[in-house]
């Protein structure tokens, strides 16, 4: 399995091609969630070269500029 971080609810499944949730072609893997402190999640999102990074919940530059980055204080 891979580890990825989300600020909101976890999707029920992921597609190895990079799609989250929904009904797309390809093999789908079930997802299980575990709640962790925001500080740990934000640190994990910043770690480079980790498997599963493509599924992380990272805000866009636009959202950051509007102050909608949940990790801005961590």
């Amino acid at each position: 399995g891979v580890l990825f971080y989300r600020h909101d609810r976890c999707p029920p499944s992921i597609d190895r091609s990079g799609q989250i949730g929904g009904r797309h072609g390809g093999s789908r893997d079930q997802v299980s969630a575990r709640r962790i402190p925001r500080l740990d999640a934000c640190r994990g999102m910043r770690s480079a070269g980790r498997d599963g990074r493509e599924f992380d919940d990272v805000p866009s530059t636009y959202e950051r500029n509007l102050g909608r980055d949940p990790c801005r204080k961590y």
Side-chain angles (χ1 to χ4, degrees), residues 10-32:
C10 198
S13 64
I14 59 171
D15 182 350
R16 288 297 181 155
S17 68
Q19 299 292 325
I20 296 179
R23 295 185 179 136
H24 303 284
S27 65
R28 303 208 56 83
D29 293 326
Q30 294 299 101
V31 173
S32 63

Side-chain angles (χ1 to χ4, degrees), residues 13-66:
S13 64
I14 59 171
D15 182 350
R16 288 297 181 155
S17 68
Q19 299 292 325
I20 296 179
R23 295 185 179 136
H24 303 284
S27 65
R28 303 208 56 83
D29 293 326
Q30 294 299 101
V31 173
S32 63
R34 182 172 47 110
R35 188 176 294 263
I36 63 170
R38 187 172 302 274
L39 175 63
D40 294 341
C42 292
R43 284 181 180 162
M45 284 186 218
R46 290 187 187 107
S47 63
R50 174 180 48 81
D51 285 343
R53 187 171 170 82
E54 66 271 18
F55 301 112
D56 285 352
D57 185 17
V58 179
S60 68
T61 301
Y62 178 75
E63 290 173 321
R64 282 190 199 119
N65 289 340
L66 291 177

